[in-house]
Each structure stands twice: as structure tokens, then as C-alpha cells.
Amino acid sequence: MSGDAGVGSFAAADYVVFAVMLLVSAAVGVYYAWADRGQRSSSDFLTGGRRLTALPVSLSLTASFMSAITVLSNPAEVYRYGANIVFYGVSYVITMVVTSEVFLPVFYRLAITSTYEVRIVWVLIRGCLVCCYMHSGRILTGMDLWGAVISTGLVCTFYCTMGGLRAVVWTDVFQLSVMLAGFLSVIIRSVDQQGGVIPIISDSEQGGRLNFWDFDPNPLRRHTFWTISIGGTFVWSSIYGINQAQVQRYISCKSISQARLSLYINLLGLLFILLCSVFAGMCLYSVYKHCDPWTAGLVSAPDQLMPYLVMDILRDYPGLPGLFVAAAYSGSLSTVSSSINALATVTVEDLLRPYTSMSEKQLSWMSKGMTLLYGVLCIGMAGLASLLGGILQAAISIFGIIGGPLLGLFTLGIICPFANSKGALTGLLSGLVLSLWVGIGAQFYPPPPVMARPLSLTTEGCNLSTAGNLTWTSTTPGQTQMVLLADSWYSLSYLYFSLIGTIIAVVVGVLVSLLTGRLQWICFK
């Protein structure tokens, strides 16, 4: 397809579809506010009274995981680097088994509402990330920035505040269906336009996108089977095993067997979404194999490629571009709503309940107030994030760096009964320092192309008078002069950041606990 700057903009039908998605989400909050009007405790509001069943919880887990980043970035990743991210499926399977057998039994039997002892730090970090998720929903659609941010933020805050966790869960179920419909609309139209599935696969193969058989053990390589499957396991385990937003869902199930079932049904959803996003990336490459919109300067960032494709191939189908944008925003809504609910939970259970003498009814109202407060803060900070630019990728990197040491902290407490507070704190700080070191260093000294191995793109088929030079294969002049540390340590695959933080936190935690504890206690135990 030839490059064309005029790919269209939102029509009235698109705005209607987007508005319907917001209205239905708000209606769910109203319904559960009325249905649960007799709830008396903060636990009822924050955990749904632990009466939920496996199916809605599993769909909510999947929707919370599938943020706008999944909708926009995964296809762009396949377009630029190839389809080997399909090996995330291996890490999903391992993660669900570990979560189900190691973390779930501990959290469920403790009957706790909040998983976090590292309280204030987590609240602040998670709050910043939530704001970036909200901003990620608006890219290249012609929608007004503040209109999009405020409308989405208000609706999200409304149903979180009105209905609590039950509203969040059932809204996630609806939003997941919107996300899948948006994905499938793009895939079906692409298949129709390109003449079938086989031509798309053939184009991807000829373009080197079907790079599945890369088993290079080199940890400096950005994406291989090992970095994706092993490194991905640590990343997703920090999300499903200890992240408040995810844990809060499966411990809200009425039994531990239902909680386990929710995780495994969620696994099927994750695998299906992964396949959809990978194939969407193959469609993206097939359509633009002769004219890359990014290199041609038609978009300013890779995450804009999918919205560009949508406005290009679906512009003659009013309502379908709106469906895809609703899908991207549904990803943001589901992630933001779960996070706002989790932030309120941590604040009430860890920062208010232990230090105040409030009644359950007062704590329940305080939970709603905290939910409202975090929602309003997210609206304001999402707009700020849009003005700063580039903060989304940085925030996601920070979350991966933070998740590893936290995973190590919880793992230490679960598998090492002799661990003490000194060991836990030292291990956490050591893992955090080391993962921050490599993570920040990688921003200043990005891995060379030989490790990232970007795939070729061309603008030869573009009907443009000039083509931009926005190509991601270029290197900075000083990159060839990097010191040995930058060539090795800072070039480590970003998927291993979490692994490093986890291992260091556990090892240091064990050693310090042994040195400061009673060694003979271990022998007799």
C-alpha cells in the first residue's frame, strides 16, 4: 500500500461507538452501587465480599493484563522485530502454574486484603504508572486530548467509586469483549484486503518476521526464546504473583479452587490475545511491506502504527475505527480501574486501618473516598504525562525494574522460613539498586543493533515526494565508542531486569538473614 498522509479521521459513528462503550461501563457501576447498597464494610467494597466465581474473575484478570499497550505495542513489536514474542506463551504457562501453586495458597488462606508491606513506595509508583496507562489510549485518531482523558477518567473513577471491586470485575468483562472485537475487526479487514491468511503469512516469512527458531543463549540479545520465556516468566510472575491489582481479584473468589480455576481460564484468554496481537502485527507488516509509515515520517512513533492502519483500512466502514479505539481505551480503562481499586485498598488497609479507630462503615466510606481521590489525581496526571512525552515507555521500564525485587521479597518470605526483617529489607534494597543500575544504564547506552536485531523496512513503494529519515536502525555517533561496561552489562536484555532484581533480593536476603539470625535454628528446623 502506498503511503498517504490523509488516512482519515473519526466520523460521527466512531464517536457513537466510543460513547456507548463509556456509557455501558458507567452503567455497570450504577448497577452494582444499587445491588450492593447494603454493604457495611470496606472489605465488601474492596474485595466483593469474596463471593465472586472463577469465570468473571478470569476475564477480569485477562482484561487488566491486556492494556492499551498490548493493543498498540505488541503488533508494532512484531512489525519491527518479528513474531518471536509468541514465546511469551511459554512464560504465561509457567507463571500461572507458579502463581497457582506458590503464591495463591499463601495469600488466599491468610484472607488478607492487601499484599503489600512496602506500602507508601508502591502506592506512589503504581499511581504514576496508572496515569501513563490512561494517556496511552489516545494516539493518532484526531480525538481531542483533554476530552479523551477527562471522559475516560471520569467514567473510570465513577464506576470504581460507585460499585467497588464487583463493578470493576464485570466492567472488565465487558471491556474485554470490546477489545477482542476491535482486534478482530482489524484482522478480518486486513485478511480480506490482502487476499487471505496465506499471503499475510507469506509476506511475513519473506520479510523475516517469522523468526521463531532463535535459541541463542546470549543474555545480551534483546529477544530470543530464552530471554522471552525465562525473562518473561519473572516479569509476569511479578504481575500475577504479587501485584495487588491481580492478587485482589483471585482472592475475591468464594473458594481457593475457584481462584485456581480463574487463573487457568485466564491463561487461555492470554494465549488467545497473544496470538491475535502477533497476527495483527503480521497484518501490519503485510499491508505496509513496501511503504513503512514510520520511516516515511507519516507517524512519529511505532505505537502509532496500529491506529494508522485502522484509520487507513477501516475508513470506509464508519464505526469500526471507533470500535478499535474503544478497544484501546477499554484496555486503559480495565488497567486503570483495577489499579485505582488496588491503590485504594493499599491506602485503607495498610495506611488507615492499623492507625485509626474507624468503624467498618467509616472505612467503607473512606474506601470510596480514596477511590474518588485516586481517580481525580489520575485524570490530572494523565494530562501532564501527555505534555512531557515519552514518559510511557519509561514508566513501564520502571515497573519492570521495581517488580523484580518485590517478587524476590515475597519469594524470600514464602520459601525461607528463617528469613528476618533485616535480610528482607537488605535483599529488597540490593535488588532494587542493581536493577535500577542496569535499567538506567541501558537508557544512556542502548544495546547495539547487533543485539536488538531490528528487521528491514522500506519506503520504496510510497507515493511521497520526500521520505523522512525516522529510522530506528540508525545509531548515535558515540555509540561505537561505548566502554566495555556498556557493551556487556548495559546491553543485557531488558527482560532480564526483573530476573536480576529477584535473584539478588533472594540471595542477599538469605545471606543477611543467616548472618543476623540463629544458624542453629535452621539445623534443628
Side-chain angles (χ1 to χ4, degrees):
M1 173 172 291
S2 299
D4 181 6
V7 294
S9 58
F10 258 29
D14 299 313
Y15 284 105
V16 169
V17 171
F18 184 73
V20 168
M21 183 272 292
L22 293 179
L23 289 174
V24 172
S25 300
V28 174
V30 173
Y31 172 78
Y32 279 103
W34 177 83
D36 296 338
R37 60 191 181 281
Q39 63 185 9
R40 298 293 181 183
S41 69
S42 60
S43 179
D44 287 337
F45 180 81
L46 297 171
T47 66
R50 300 187 73 163
R51 302 189 303 271
L52 299 176
T53 55
L55 184 59
V57 170
S58 66
L59 296 177
S60 178
L61 286 168
T62 305
S64 297
F65 173 85
M66 185 181 170
S67 66
I69 295 169
T70 306
V71 177
L72 301 176
S73 296
N74 274 13
E77 176 70 29
V78 173
Y79 180 81
R80 298 170 63 198
Y81 293 101
N84 59 359
I85 64 168
V86 74
F87 287 125
Y88 275 133
V90 176
S91 64
Y92 293 165
V93 172
I94 300 174
T95 294
M96 293 311 135
V97 172
V98 170
T99 301
S100 173
E101 302 305 320
V102 177
F103 295 103
L104 170 60
V106 174
F107 291 136
Y108 195 90
R109 293 189 179 115
L110 286 175
I112 57 177
T113 303
S114 170
T115 63
Y116 286 93
E117 289 295 324
V118 190
R119 299 164 181 169
I120 299 176
V121 173
W122 183 86
V123 168
L124 294 175
I125 292 172
R126 187 66 182 176
C128 293
L129 294 173
V130 167
C131 303
C132 295
Y133 273 119
M134 286 185 62
H135 176 56
S136 68
R138 178 203 172 266
I139 297 181
L140 206 69
T141 61
M143 294 184 67
D144 175 69
L145 168 62
W146 281 104
V149 168
I150 292 176
S151 61
T152 334
L154 286 178
V155 168
C156 183
T157 303
F158 176 78
Y159 69 74
C160 287
T161 305
M162 295 293 290
L165 183 66
R166 293 182 71 194
V168 171
V169 166
W170 283 103
T171 307
D172 283 349
V173 173
F174 164 70
Q175 288 163 356
L176 179 61
S177 65
V178 175
M179 284 185 271
L180 291 176
F183 248 148
L184 292 176
S185 67
V186 177
I187 290 174
I188 292 171
R189 174 59 183 142
S190 298
V191 169
D192 177 63
Q193 177 174 296
Q194 298 304 105
V197 173
I198 300 301
I200 291 175
I201 296 177
S202 176
D203 288 340
S204 298
E205 182 178 15
Q206 293 175 19
R209 265 63 188 174
L210 303 186
N211 51 352
F212 299 126
W213 311 114
D214 189 347
F215 295 93
D216 185 353
N218 187 350
L220 305 185
R221 287 284 310 284
R222 182 176 182 270
H223 278 175
T224 66
F225 171 82
W226 304 110
T227 57
I228 294 172
S229 58
I230 296 176
T233 295
F234 281 83
V235 173
W236 309 133
S237 293
S238 70
I239 294 174
Y240 274 88
I242 65 168
N243 184 284
Q244 174 68 30
Q246 303 296 81
V247 172
Q248 192 170 336
R249 274 159 175 66
Y250 57 68
I251 65 173
S252 68
C253 290
K254 60 184 181 182
S255 68
I256 193 169
S257 60
Q258 288 284 307
R260 277 200 172 98
L261 182 60
S262 72
L263 284 171
Y264 288 116
I265 296 176
N266 156 76
L267 173 61
L268 297 177
L270 292 182
L271 294 175
F272 180 74
I273 289 169
L274 177 64
L275 292 176
C276 284
S277 64
V278 169
F279 190 72
M282 294 166 63
C283 293
L284 185 63
Y285 176 74
S286 180
V287 172
Y288 296 121
K289 60 183 179 292
H290 297 308
C291 178
D292 171 37
W294 185 28
T295 309
L298 300 176
V299 298
S300 59
D303 285 345
Q304 295 179 354
L305 287 167
M306 273 302 284
Y308 184 89
L309 174 68
V310 168
M311 302 306 293
D312 189 359
I313 67 175
L314 296 178
R315 55 183 165 184
D316 295 329
Y317 300 86
L320 288 185
L323 179 62
F324 180 82
V325 173
Y329 270 94
S330 290
S332 293
L333 277 173
S334 62
T335 306
V336 172
S337 61
S338 61
S339 300
I340 288 176
N341 190 254
L343 287 167
T345 301
V346 173
T347 303
V348 171
E349 297 298 323
D350 288 344
L351 303 181
L352 293 180
R353 185 187 290 274
Y355 308 110
T356 64
S357 56
M358 293 183 183
S359 65
E360 282 298 328
K361 188 172 183 179
Q362 288 173 321
L363 286 172
S364 177
W365 280 105
M366 186 60 68
S367 300
K368 295 183 178 182
M370 288 295 102
T371 301
L372 177 61
L373 174 62
Y374 281 121
V376 172
L377 287 176
C378 284
I379 294 173
M381 292 181 68
L384 177 62
S386 69
L387 301 177
L388 296 177
I391 194 172
L392 177 61
Q393 188 62 46
I396 299 304
S397 300
I398 290 174
F399 181 72
I401 291 169
I402 298 297
L406 284 174
L407 178 63
L409 175 67
F410 281 89
T411 303
L412 177 69
I414 291 173
I415 68 175
C416 301
F418 58 86
N420 56 31
S421 58
K422 294 179 181 178
L425 181 59
T426 306
L428 175 65
L429 293 177
S430 300
L432 185 59
V433 168
L434 204 62
S435 57
L436 279 172
W437 177 20
V438 64
I440 294 175
Q443 299 302 311
F444 289 99
Y445 300 100
V450 69
M451 293 303 171
R453 299 198 180 179
L455 300 173
S456 61
L457 296 169
T458 182
T459 58
E460 291 179 357
C462 296
N463 292 333
L464 298 171
S465 56
T466 58
N469 295 317
L470 299 176
T471 172
W472 43 270
T473 59
S474 62
T475 58
T476 58
Q479 193 167 337
T480 56
Q481 306 296 325
M482 288 191 298
V483 295
L484 181 62
L485 185 67
D487 284 332
S488 54
W489 177 242
Y490 293 149
S491 293
L492 188 71
S493 172
Y494 72 97
L495 286 169
Y496 282 145
F497 293 171
S498 182
L499 180 149
I500 288 176
T502 301
I503 292 178
I504 294 300
V506 172
V507 172
V508 172
V510 168
L511 292 177
V512 173
S513 295
L514 289 175
L515 293 174
T516 59
R518 300 177 179 178
L519 291 175
Q520 65 270 27
W521 184 89
I522 305 173
C523 299
F524 292 107
K525 194 69 177 177

